[in-house]
Amino acid sequence: MAECKNMLAFDFGNSTLRAILCRFDGEKIVSEVVLSESNEMLKIDDYFYWDLLRIFSFMKRSVEKAAGEVRLDSVGICTWGVDFMLFDEKNHMLSNALSYRNSIGAEIIEKQTEEEKKEMFRRTGILSDKINSIYMLKGIGEKMPSIASAAKKLLMIPDILTYFMTGVMENEPSELSTTQALDVSTMSISREQCEFMGIDPELFQKIGEHGKAIGNIKREILDEMKIDYDIPFICTPSHDTASAVFGIPCEDEEYFFVSSGTWALIGAQIEKPVLTEEVIEGKLTNEVGAFGKITLLKNSIGMFITQRLKAEYQRDIQQNISWNEFTDLARGFGGKAGIFDVNHEDFFNPVHMGHAIHKHLHPEDPEGKLNWNEIVASVFASMAESYCVGLRAVMKATGKEPDVVYVVGGGSKNAIINQSCADSLGKKIVTCDMECSCIGDAAAQLAGVCPELSYRDLRKIIVASLKTNVYNPIVK
């Protein structure tokens, strides 16, 4: 097996920024958080933005701190998808990155017919969705023409931060697939798609290759930190879903999963995209996974709802509580939990999540007093139902019936949802609430710093690095 290596994995989500030191001892990867801070959208006038300059500062501080503990062999990154930044011909930023939670994309997709959406899917393998970058791009052209007219280059969130660190502009493929401009069958930008949406295909940069070095961290940054050696930045599956799926502790080539974070990505890792009517009917999408794999996914709301509810409940009772205490609210509900569509537009970004859910549970009394026990119990039951609906759609589209479904990410800690899924599907649920995203990122970095390792070797290392829990279906 390869020699010991030290890798720094950046794992950036909508709510948290984390820098994680991953130590490979020759058999497994052990991780520890080096630095962690909150992340949030900032509203400026009518729009929500991400503060990427602050995130860049966080990255530099993280490298400095990690390098103070060990000699770093490499760095890699994964973040949320779809959001991007535009640059002019001289690589100057034209504005900060807009958040997908703006209404710009929704306003564009509302003008499309169902047949146009299907044609966009057939060209790329990607489901038409209001959050896809291609809709935001078209919307910027209409609402911010001065920015759009000057735009010559586009980088996704992890590409931007990699560029800040290395000076190299490159589009990572898993992130690029969330734009709906990439044809996942050919792994190239669909010019037909870009022409249809009125977008310049030359905005996109060279497509990176997983496990290959993008470039070294800039010498000026390293000098600032008094680091006297080069640190390569490795191209990893930088859409956090792709890293998390790669980091699932399974040695099989294909497997079914739920990656439950802010969003819940419900699907299967497969070898080739599926472009059938069943995929369209199931509202599935073919995103690029690690090392040329495809993740056939259904995108569903995830822990975003519970994150908002917990914050609202804490304000209501005027004290902070743990996640276990929040989960106990559901256990304290004695009635039958209501089921609602967690993906309804009312829950996309409401002013008050609890009130929005109450209105769906009690349309006859929309302004009634909130029953927090009922709300939390119903959210858990509804999320479990959404997972099962998605998994059944993926099974139908692939024609495959797994014995096991893997649940990873922060949402995998929720025993109520896990057991409900096992019972409803009649299948074993294997959970891993450890660092699947960062382990997947680190394993991809290993491919760069230890090129003798095969894909099969990397999967064995991932399995050796993570602990799992099992939920068996309860026969009633």
Side-chain angles (χ1 to χ4, degrees):
M1 193 59 79
E3 62 182 22
C4 300
K5 298 292 181 183
N6 297 308
M7 300 152 292
L8 186 63
F10 291 111
D11 183 8
F12 296 161
N14 288 183
S15 59
T16 308
L17 308 173
R18 299 190 310 154
I20 302 163
L21 181 60
C22 299
R23 305 171 192 256
F24 176 62
D25 63 8
E27 295 183 356
K28 66 181 184 300
I29 299 168
V30 177
S31 64
E32 63 174 296
V33 177
V34 172
L35 207 60
S36 178
E37 290 183 3
S38 63
N39 188 30
E40 62 181 351
M41 301 177 292
L42 301 174
K43 193 169 189 291
I44 308 296
D45 294 328
D46 296 329
Y47 300 112
F48 291 99
Y49 294 85
W50 298 108
D51 189 353
L52 291 189
L53 299 183
R54 172 179 167 258
I55 297 175
F56 174 47
S57 174
F58 174 87
M59 292 178 73
K60 291 199 295 182
R61 286 183 282 114
S62 299
V63 170
E64 183 174 28
K65 186 172 182 181
E69 297 180 20
V70 298
R71 182 184 177 92
L72 290 174
D73 292 288
S74 64
V75 174
I77 186 171
C78 66
T79 78
W80 65 97
V82 304
D83 289 335
F84 59 88
M85 183 183 283
L86 294 170
F87 296 78
D88 69 12
E89 59 185 5
K90 294 185 177 180
N91 297 349
H92 297 144
M93 297 179 292
L94 292 172
S95 77
N96 218 327
L98 287 158
S99 166
Y100 63 85
R101 291 200 182 274
N102 288 295
S103 63
I104 296 174
E107 293 170 21
I108 299 297
I109 199 171
E110 284 172 0
K111 301 173 185 176
Q112 289 190 328
T113 66
E114 288 305 312
E115 188 53 41
E116 285 174 329
K117 294 175 190 175
K118 288 181 180 180
E119 284 302 313
M120 289 182 67
F121 168 81
R122 295 184 185 109
R123 283 193 285 267
T124 62
I126 302 295
L127 175 74
S128 289
D129 193 307
K130 62 188 175 185
I131 68 172
N132 292 354
S133 318
I134 203 163
Y135 291 105
M136 178 70 80
L137 262 174
K138 187 172 179 63
I140 288 173
E142 295 181 3
K143 294 179 179 293
M144 305 173 181
S146 61
I147 291 176
S149 63
K152 299 299 179 184
K153 299 174 183 179
L154 178 150
L155 296 178
M156 306 301 287
I157 295 294
D159 303 332
I160 299 161
L161 296 167
T162 302
Y163 166 64
F164 288 170
M165 294 293 285
T166 67
V168 178
M169 285 190 165
E170 187 174 284
N171 287 141
E172 186 277 325
S174 71
E175 276 280 334
L176 195 56
S177 68
T178 71
T179 64
Q180 206 182 0
L182 182 77
D183 181 344
V184 299
S185 296
T186 63
M187 288 297 293
S188 61
I189 295 297
S190 169
R191 290 185 172 271
E192 184 180 3
Q193 185 87 308
C194 291
E195 181 181 348
F196 175 73
M197 293 294 284
I199 292 166
D200 182 3
E202 300 304 322
L203 285 171
F204 301 98
Q205 305 302 294
K206 171 189 171 185
I207 299 176
E209 183 179 349
H210 295 157
K212 302 295 183 182
I214 298 169
N216 292 329
I217 295 177
K218 291 178 181 178
R219 173 45 50 192
E220 64 193 66
I221 294 175
L222 295 177
D223 287 345
E224 180 184 332
M225 303 171 185
K226 297 181 172 53
I227 299 173
D228 61 1
Y229 57 91
D230 288 333
I231 303 175
F233 213 114
I234 306 296
C235 179
T236 61
S238 62
H239 186 204
D240 50 14
T241 301
S243 268
V245 172
F246 183 48
I248 286 173
C250 174
E251 289 193 39
D252 297 337
E253 292 285 324
E254 299 186 339
Y255 43 85
F256 284 68
F257 62 85
V258 177
S259 178
S260 178
T262 299
W263 290 93
L265 288 305
I266 304 158
Q269 174 168 286
I270 54 179
E271 294 295 322
K272 297 179 180 180
V274 183
L275 305 175
T276 61
E277 286 300 313
E278 286 83 3
V279 174
I280 296 175
E281 291 170 6
K283 297 183 178 179
L284 308 178
T285 193
N286 296 273
E287 290 189 5
V288 175
F291 297 93
K293 305 293 184 183
I294 294 293
T295 53
L296 182 64
L297 299 170
K298 184 175 181 64
N299 195 0
S300 179
I301 198 69
M303 304 314 289
F304 173 71
I305 287 182
T306 61
Q307 290 163 355
R308 287 282 294 271
L309 284 178
K310 183 172 180 284
E312 290 170 6
Y313 178 69
Q314 288 176 159
R315 286 197 296 270
D316 197 18
I317 64 173
Q318 297 186 328
Q319 69 179 70
N320 292 331
I321 62 171
S322 68
W323 278 105
N324 286 337
E325 290 172 311
F326 181 75
T327 302
D328 284 342
L329 290 173
R331 296 191 175 96
F333 181 59
K336 180 176 175 56
I339 302 292
F340 60 90
D341 179 8
V342 295
N343 292 299
H344 192 282
E345 62 182 11
D346 288 351
F347 311 124
F348 185 65
N349 195 19
V351 174
H352 193 283
M353 186 68 73
H355 286 299
I357 292 169
H358 174 85
K359 289 177 182 179
H360 276 250
L361 294 175
H362 299 286
E364 77 289 350
D365 184 24
E367 304 304 322
K369 181 177 173 60
L370 301 187
N371 181 332
W372 283 104
N373 298 89
E374 177 191 29
I375 287 173
V376 177
S378 296
V379 166
F380 290 169
S382 299
M383 288 180 65
E385 177 66 13
S386 72
Y387 292 177
C388 293
V389 167
L391 287 164
R392 291 188 184 104
V394 176
M395 292 175 202
K396 181 180 179 181
T398 59
K400 297 177 181 179
E401 188 81 16
D403 296 322
V404 177
V405 173
Y406 293 86
V407 179
V408 300
S412 68
K413 297 177 182 179
N414 193 303
I416 296 175
I417 295 177
N418 295 334
Q419 190 61 59
S420 181
C421 287
D423 296 344
S424 179
L425 294 170
K427 299 184 182 301
K428 182 189 295 184
I429 301 293
V430 175
T431 68
C432 181
D433 62 12
M434 299 173 70
E435 306 286 0
C436 287
S437 291
C438 81
I439 295 297
D441 184 289
Q445 289 185 54
L446 272 179
V449 296
C450 303
E452 71 276 11
L453 293 175
S454 67
Y455 180 83
R456 174 65 59 185
D457 292 332
L458 297 176
R459 293 233 58 85
K460 289 180 178 179
I461 290 167
I462 289 167
V463 170
S465 302
L466 297 167
K467 297 178 182 179
T468 58
N469 295 310
V470 176
Y471 293 81
N472 290 302
I474 297 174
V475 179
K476 297 181 180 179

